[in-house]
Amino acid sequence: MTGAGAGDGSGYLAVDSGGSGLRVVVGTVGRGPLARRASRVPVRTGVRGLEPGHLLEQLVPMARALAVEAGVTRLDTAVVGATGLASLGDAVRAELPGALARELGVRRVGLVADAVTAYVGALGPRPGAVVAAGTGLIALGTDLTGWRRADGWGHLLGDCGGGAWIGRAGLEAALRAHDRREGGSAGLLACAEEQFGPMPGLPGELYPRPDRPAVLASFAPQVAACAESDPVAAGILRAAARHMADSAAAVCPAAGEPHVAVTGGLLKLGDPLVVPLDEELTNRLPHARRVAAEGDPLHGSVRIATDLAAGALTLPSDGAMLYVSTAPGARFLGTDHF
């Protein structure tokens, strides 16, 4: 065995940075993940995009403590998967590899969009497509020569079929019922008033909120709860399933028998969404093999770090989605520095 962790005391650092904070793992190629910690502070976004300084403030102390806990003498490889990296990661790509080399002695750094870590966590390094469905929604596919992305454009311009999209559609149906317009749902109106209060006050409560997507998504479970007896709610979830299948079909390789998986918290809505989603995926992708997601984005970050450390990474590189930097002259730090 070659690469970090092959009996020489070196290890890898794997990070999942998202809206709820950081999750960090230290491990070795031979022994797998050995220690993990989490922070509930999300990395700040400023005028330069994701702030590398704020990421380092949290990550470096956690990495040093985890290396001690894991018995790793040096961190040879680091993989940082981050929400927003594809569009807001220029400063991180410019500064993080050098900073990790100085602070931790890291030689190889992989900077990875969260859609890629979700993909690898779900399918591993296999051709196929993954739909990551939570508050938002993005689909990613690869034939192992390049990446294809669909949606993930945010709740104002896209994320069609995601939690915020479902919640917004449910609240629109509630407002239609309040106004006595066609297409309304008395059941969704009752649920909306129970959760948010009288409907005339909803715009003033919702529009100024910086967490508007999360507020909209908080109504998605009510839509699912109404779907069994309410055709309007059932239609919203059917439309969401259709959007999800559209995105999967847009990125899925056409050749062979690619794997297709859906991952993310939206699946907790259960049968009212999952049943029509299975039907739509079968109709749109008859050549694909539907499989359950193996793991989450942190699992994906660990898999990428393991392969990168072992010199076995087969995923296609991409300046925005998966960027690998190697610093041969990085200074390794001894255990006393950790």
Side-chain angles (χ1 to χ4, degrees), residues 221-337:
Q222 301 291 351
V223 178
C226 290
E228 183 175 351
S229 58
D230 187 327
V232 173
I236 290 170
L237 293 178
R238 169 65 70 175
R242 193 174 301 118
H243 282 306
M244 295 167 74
D246 285 345
S247 291
V251 302
C252 189
E257 188 184 22
H259 291 71
V260 176
V262 181
T263 186
L266 199 63
L267 295 179
K268 294 178 182 178
L269 295 183
D271 285 351
L273 175 65
V274 172
V275 170
L277 177 58
D278 286 341
E279 295 172 356
E280 295 291 340
L281 286 171
T282 298
N283 290 336
R284 293 299 307 274
L285 294 168
H287 70 296
R289 179 183 175 190
R290 177 76 187 279
V291 297
E294 296 177 9
D296 65 5
L298 180 60
H299 180 63
S301 186
V302 168
R303 292 185 77 154
I304 296 170
T306 302
D307 287 348
L308 184 59
L313 187 65
T314 58
L315 295 168
S317 62
D318 180 281
M321 305 294 287
L322 197 163
Y323 171 79
V324 176
S325 173
T326 304
R331 176 178 56 85
F332 292 119
L333 300 180
T335 54
D336 58 319
H337 291 274

Side-chain angles (χ1 to χ4, degrees), residues 168-186 188-189 192 199 202 232 236:
R168 186 213 56 79
L171 289 172
E172 180 187 346
L175 287 165
R176 285 182 173 274
H178 175 271
D179 296 343
R180 297 182 177 85
R181 290 180 287 152
E182 291 186 3
S185 163
L188 290 173
L189 174 58
M199 287 295 94
L202 180 60
V232 173
I236 290 170

Side-chain angles (χ1 to χ4, degrees), residues 17 22 41-59 80 82-85 88-93 95-96:
S17 172
L22 297 182
V41 181
V43 175
R44 289 193 299 261
T45 301
V47 295
R48 301 170 61 215
L50 294 172
E51 296 186 3
H54 188 230
L55 174 59
L56 288 164
E57 286 174 12
Q58 298 186 68
L59 179 57
V80 179
T83 299
L85 186 73
L88 299 171
D90 286 349
V92 169
R93 280 186 285 270
E95 298 180 19
L96 200 65

